[in-house]
Amino acid sequence: MRNTWIICSRELTSYFISPVAYVFIVIFLALAGGLTFFFGKWLDRGQADLQVFFIYHPYLYLFLIPAVGMRLWAEERKSGSMEFLMTLPISTSQAVIGKFLAAWIFVGIALSLTFPIWLTVNFLGNPDNGVIVTAYVGSWLMAGGFLALSSSVSALTKNQVIAFVLAAVICFIFLMSGVELVQAFFRAWAPPRFVEAIAELSFLTNFGDLSQGVIDVRDILFFLSVIAGALFVNILIVEIKKSS
Amino acid sequence: MDKLLEINGLTKRFGPISAVDNISFSVSRGEVLGFLGPNGAGKSTTMKMATGYLSPTNGKVSVCGYDVLHSPLEIKRRLGYLPEGAPLYGDMTPNSLLNFVCDIRQLNKEKRKTGYEHVVESLQLERVLHQPIETLSKGYKRRVGLAQAIIHDPEVLILDEPTDGLDPNQKHEVRQLLDRMSHSKAIVISTHILEEVDAVCSRAIIISQGKIVADQKPSMLERSSRFHNAVGIRIEAENSERCISLIESIPDVLTVEIVRNDDELVEIIVFPSNKTDILGSISNSIDEGGLKVLEMYVERGRLEEVFRELTVGGFEVGNA
Ligand SMILES: Nc1ncnc2c1ncn2[C@@H]1O[C@H](COP(=O)(O)OP(=O)(O)OP(=O)(O)O)[C@@H](O)[C@H]1O
Ligand SMILES: [Mg+2]
């Protein structure tokens, strides 16, 4: 636990030393804002809620989160610092979880910097702030799911571009697995039970309720188990790669 | 003697290549083992397996009695490791990196203070403590790498080319540092600088294509060189022919090689048969012939030449 935290805080500090963090935050805020105002026509709707703000989050994350996650292990492998890190007296799981947590907290910080839009909606009307808090938490959980998937993909390669593309594809599959297009693809060859199971894995479906303020424990558990499962795979990949 | 590092039948294959092929050796407290071999011989790969960073295809590593596969953490606690090229977190400063290492290694306040002060002083890091590592020169990066490897005063030190890229003063400092630490630790260093082996190592292992081809004291290795006990002589050019024919008539002399020959000066190396000591008989016969030499010295043997013979030929010397 102690080591996980030390690694996490080291990583977190290094995010804010580099300009990458600020670039990411600015792009995230610009896109989140832009989508809400221009595509969502938030102000024109005349409703005091953040529905159109959260509705774009899955798509925003689809390429922004792999951009955060791609470097987690690929960069470490490429620069060789992994050899330094992994010969310190820490376990693989401490390293994997520590690095993931740092990235997740970083995304959380970026997400929380969208607070002006929350203030604005409170200025303009009387929103249900409970709904908004639930949606924020749901969005952060979903980001965690994408991030854990990206992190484990990143452990596969030392090439960040490959890590990014692969992660984006895998995130896309998880995001869209409930959508008719993807379902049709699986229905063509897979047994119906499998197709149903795939649909259950959809980030879109699971985020849907949360983003509307409906607290369903199953949705929360879903994201937490995606995170846990992906990090478990991440640890395995790092371990297996030792003997390659 | 307690063996702090034991390596048994270690093998690593990358696909079809055997990078390390059934290597066994052990290092005791107080020993400094020099790990030599041509590029691609498998030195770094062996070291990576010894630290647990890579898993061996076959074989066993134990550090202070702990097996690397079963108790990796116990091993990593007792080990200091400088990876090849000293890759570190470039965005950190040496100060923050060393503090991070102290945190992870859970050094108490006192050990942390002495460790930190010791490495900063002995590796002369004061000047760069607060500069990002990626902006440091190669030699300084290496020194920071060394600093993180020794800050916790580990029992076993594994250093992959520790003096690579250091200036002559720093090389000297690092060798002295290794010397001071050697009595309480087992140290393995890999190097391409053979004089370093002479200077700091109590034992040398030469590997070639993943196999050990020699495992001996450096002085013993020198003895297997054909230069061992050869006598070098510098003479004035006008006397050279007489001198050479005089020396050639000594019974124990095998051959005489001329290594330098210009207008004023001739330098020859006299090889004895069976590497016997021939200095006495040479100086006797020179005295008797009434000749004057400018300089005369006995060769101890040349590691470089032994190294070449062992790693280019297929020739093998007996193990110690
Ligand atoms: N990850 C890897 N994949 C495939 N082959 C590898 C890998 N790492 C090392 N090798 C091969 O293993 C062999 C030994 O490499 P190693 O780095 O141990 O050599 P070395 O003795 O340290 O050489 P140098 O003196 O150049 O540092 C080389 O042939 C190298 O190409
Ligand atoms: Mg090497």
Side-chain angles (χ1 to χ4, degrees):
Chain A
M1 209 37 228
R2 194 174 162 277
N3 286 344
T4 309
W5 180 242
I6 296 171
I7 290 170
C8 174
S9 57
R10 191 214 72 79
E11 287 268 320
L12 207 50
T13 319
S14 87
Y15 277 109
F16 289 98
I17 302 174
S18 76
V20 180
Y22 300 101
V23 171
F24 175 84
I25 289 178
V26 168
I27 291 182
F28 176 76
L29 294 181
L31 285 177
L35 288 171
T36 311
F37 285 94
F38 296 112
F39 285 89
K41 307 231 179 334
W42 180 53
L43 291 175
D44 303 344
R45 284 174 80 227
Q47 280 179 23
D49 62 27
L50 288 179
Q51 278 298 307
V52 289
F53 169 62
F54 286 110
I55 213 165
Y56 290 110
H57 280 197
Y59 309 101
L60 207 51
Y61 289 157
L62 183 57
F63 67 99
L64 281 182
I65 297 291
V68 175
M70 68 181 183
R71 47 166 294 282
L72 282 180
W73 290 95
E75 187 184 33
E76 196 102 26
R77 226 183 260 287
K78 180 98 184 178
S79 76
S81 57
M82 188 164 172
E83 201 169 338
F84 162 68
L85 179 68
M86 300 311 280
T87 51
L88 289 173
I90 53 167
S91 64
T92 305
S93 49
Q94 286 166 345
V96 167
I97 295 169
K99 284 169 85 64
F100 166 78
L101 279 181
W104 201 18
I105 292 171
F106 170 68
V107 171
I109 291 170
L111 181 60
S112 65
L113 286 177
T114 58
F115 71 92
I117 201 165
W118 188 3
L119 293 184
T120 312
V121 78
N122 272 288
F123 247 131
L124 298 179
N126 259 329
D128 183 341
N129 282 318
V131 170
I132 295 179
V133 169
T134 309
Y136 262 113
V137 171
S139 170
W140 189 54
L141 281 170
M142 177 172 62
F146 281 135
L147 194 58
L149 291 169
S150 306
S151 174
S152 53
V153 171
S154 163
L156 282 172
T157 168
K158 60 169 87 170
N159 185 320
Q160 294 199 37
V161 176
I162 295 179
F164 175 81
V165 173
L166 259 182
V169 168
I170 289 179
C171 287
F172 180 79
I173 293 173
F174 269 87
L175 179 66
M176 298 303 218
S177 61
V179 173
E180 185 49 36
L181 181 78
V182 178
Q183 286 279 296
F185 168 74
F186 282 109
R187 214 173 284 131
W189 52 272
R193 291 271 283 286
F194 181 74
V195 179
E196 270 170 44
I198 294 259
E200 289 295 313
L201 287 179
S202 166
F203 277 31
L204 218 46
T205 326
N206 285 278
F207 178 62
D209 289 344
L210 288 171
S211 72
Q212 288 166 23
V214 183
I215 305 178
D216 188 337
V217 180
R218 276 177 307 175
D219 294 333
I220 294 174
L221 277 181
F222 166 77
F223 285 120
L224 290 179
S225 34
V226 168
I227 291 173
L231 290 184
F232 179 70
V233 172
N234 193 338
I235 294 168
L236 281 186
I237 293 173
V238 173
E239 282 291 326
I240 290 169
K241 277 235 151 192
K242 266 188 188 178
S243 46
S244 73
Chain B
M1 287 211 283
D2 43 349
K3 293 181 173 156
L4 294 185
L5 172 65
E6 285 182 84
I7 283 178
N8 234 310
L10 205 61
T11 298
K12 181 75 188 178
R13 274 190 287 274
F14 295 109
I17 336 171
S18 282
V20 174
D21 191 358
N22 197 12
I23 277 186
S24 305
F25 63 90
S26 59
V27 190
S28 308
R29 197 188 299 279
E31 268 191 305
V32 181
L33 174 70
F35 213 44
L36 313 175
N39 293 139
K43 302 180 294 295
S44 302
T45 309
T46 307
M47 289 179 153
K48 282 176 192 170
M49 289 190 284
T51 56
Y53 177 66
L54 273 184
S55 313
T57 312
N58 246 318
K60 226 179 96 138
V61 174
S62 68
V63 174
C64 304
Y66 292 97
D67 185 276
V68 79
L69 289 180
H70 299 124
S71 2
L73 285 183
E74 294 297 332
I75 285 194
K76 292 184 202 169
R77 277 191 197 113
R78 287 164 176 77
L79 202 81
Y81 174 47
L82 171 70
E84 186 168 40
L88 300 164
Y89 289 120
D91 52 8
M92 295 178 97
T93 63
N95 174 59
S96 54
L97 186 100
L98 292 176
N99 278 315
F100 168 66
V101 172
C102 289
D103 284 342
I104 289 269
R105 293 200 176 270
Q106 306 190 14
L107 301 187
N108 62 31
K109 223 174 164 186
E110 196 182 322
K111 277 193 172 166
R112 194 184 177 110
K113 191 165 172 290
T114 50
Y116 189 93
E117 282 170 3
H118 172 239
V119 298
V120 169
E121 193 197 345
S122 57
L123 294 160
Q124 293 165 22
L125 293 174
E126 194 69 53
R127 198 170 71 73
V128 298
L129 273 178
H130 300 285
Q131 192 181 333
I133 291 173
E134 62 199 354
T135 67
L136 297 182
S137 71
K138 176 177 165 187
Y140 270 106
K141 279 182 192 150
R142 206 118 259 264
R143 289 194 230 170
V144 177
L146 264 169
Q148 64 77 25
I150 62 176
I151 195 165
H152 56 297
D153 193 23
E155 287 194 274
V156 179
L157 258 185
I158 296 183
L159 308 173
D160 204 345
E161 303 190 24
T163 57
D164 178 41
L166 298 188
D167 65 49
N169 299 337
Q170 280 300 318
K171 276 193 182 118
H172 181 72
E173 290 290 327
V174 167
R175 286 173 198 165
Q176 284 195 324
L177 180 65
L178 288 174
D179 224 38
R180 282 200 298 279
M181 293 190 299
S182 64
H183 67 280
S184 61
K185 303 183 199 309
I187 303 180
V188 181
I189 62 168
S190 77
T191 179
H192 289 299
I193 307 168
L194 295 173
E195 68 197 61
E196 192 157 287
V197 178
D198 243 349
V200 294
C201 299
S202 57
R203 202 172 120 207
I205 284 183
I206 300 181
I207 67 172
S208 176
Q209 297 176 9
K211 292 195 180 68
I212 295 185
V213 291
D215 179 352
Q216 281 183 339
K217 286 202 175 93
S219 59
M220 293 297 287
L221 274 178
E222 284 171 347
R223 259 180 228 187
S224 56
S225 155
R226 75 191 178 99
F227 284 91
H228 179 64
N229 272 345
V231 177
I233 303 173
R234 285 162 174 249
I235 28 184
E236 277 162 358
E238 44 193 300
N239 296 333
S240 63
E241 269 173 39
R242 240 184 87 212
C243 183
I244 290 172
S245 63
L246 210 62
I247 290 171
E248 275 173 338
S249 66
I250 300 173
D252 275 337
V253 168
L254 187 68
T255 51
V256 176
E257 274 178 23
I258 298 173
V259 287
R260 183 171 154 196
N261 188 355
D262 54 41
D263 292 345
E264 291 154 27
L265 197 90
V266 173
E267 184 170 354
I268 59 174
I269 292 186
V270 184
F271 291 91
S273 47
N274 299 322
K275 297 176 188 167
T276 47
D277 182 359
I278 47 166
L279 184 66
S281 34
I282 291 179
S283 64
N284 278 346
S285 63
I286 286 175
D287 280 351
E288 281 162 21
L291 284 168
K292 219 176 68 183
V293 301
L294 301 172
E295 192 190 342
M296 190 144 84
Y297 56 90
V298 181
E299 292 251 5
R300 281 194 299 156
R302 297 185 182 176
L303 273 183
E304 199 184 308
E305 185 240 350
V306 178
F307 179 87
R308 211 168 27 240
E309 234 168 54
L310 286 173
T311 53
V312 179
F315 167 85
E316 203 164 316
V317 288
N319 286 353

